[in-house]
Amino acid sequence: MFKYTTFYMTLLSFFVLSGCSDIDNTGANTVNANSGFISAETIEDINTSTMLAVVKGSIDANATNAFGYKAVKIVYKTQDMSGNDVNASGLLVIPSATSQYQAYRIANGQTPFSVSMICDNHGTIFTDAEAPSNVEVTNGLPDYTLAVLMSGYAGFAAVLPDYVGYGTSNSSAHPYMLKELSAQNSLDMIKASIKYMQDNGVLLNYQLYISGYSQGGHVAMALAEKIENEIDIVDLKGVAPMAGAHNIEALANLEINASR
């Protein structure tokens, strides 16, 4: 069912190795009622034994452990290109540890398993069916490839914005390559996801990693800048803005000159 490329495995290794030194750090940060969270719909809640079979069959045949995979559609408030409030959506996938794994950590003097977050910003898509919250369907199996790697295999909470113009907000214009608005849309998804996890007893350590490829690389860099300058509810640990058009003006000038 799943095909994992070198790109995904390299990305996974980057975040796992970056986070393992202080994965047990916990914070007391909270997101208040102004988080923009509107609603949540559980699409899948898959147990660890099913996920282990998926991991062994698709990622690592020698794996002995996997995390549970709870996929939730988050609806939250953000802004559209006219500056109006709009309801947007995204996919949040939350890992859960087995009782045996928790007991192992405690027996070895470690804190209980706490969740780091990764916000992955998808590349250019052309149909609403490709939006993360639409890719994940109720079928008893995980469907979103990167979320399987990050949540079911590595134990990260995966925050996957649809972007305005897709998912719940598919009647709104999509702010393609608009830096500030794209970053704000993803940031609002992160805040709403944190609010949901806080309200549902997920033990967070508030460490955040950001990734994105192509259009998502552009969004990832803009999002990292916004988080560093504007908010302190998370501890930004690493950013992977891959193959993004990070300098739109220079790219446009290059294309114009090439056409002459």
Side-chain angles (χ1 to χ4, degrees), residues 61-83:
N62 298 315
T64 59
N65 186 58
F67 295 92
Y69 180 103
K70 183 177 181 179
V72 182
K73 180 178 180 177
I74 299 291
V75 178
Y76 63 99
K77 192 175 296 297
T78 189
Q79 290 188 325
D80 64 15
M81 289 197 296
S82 299

Side-chain angles (χ1 to χ4, degrees), residues 9 58 60 63 91-92 105 110 119 122 154-155 183 217 226 230 253:
M9 295 308 295
S58 304
D60 180 2
L91 180 67
L92 169 65
R105 291 180 64 86
Q110 298 175 323
C119 179
H122 64 72
K226 180 172 281 291
E230 297 183 17
N253 289 336

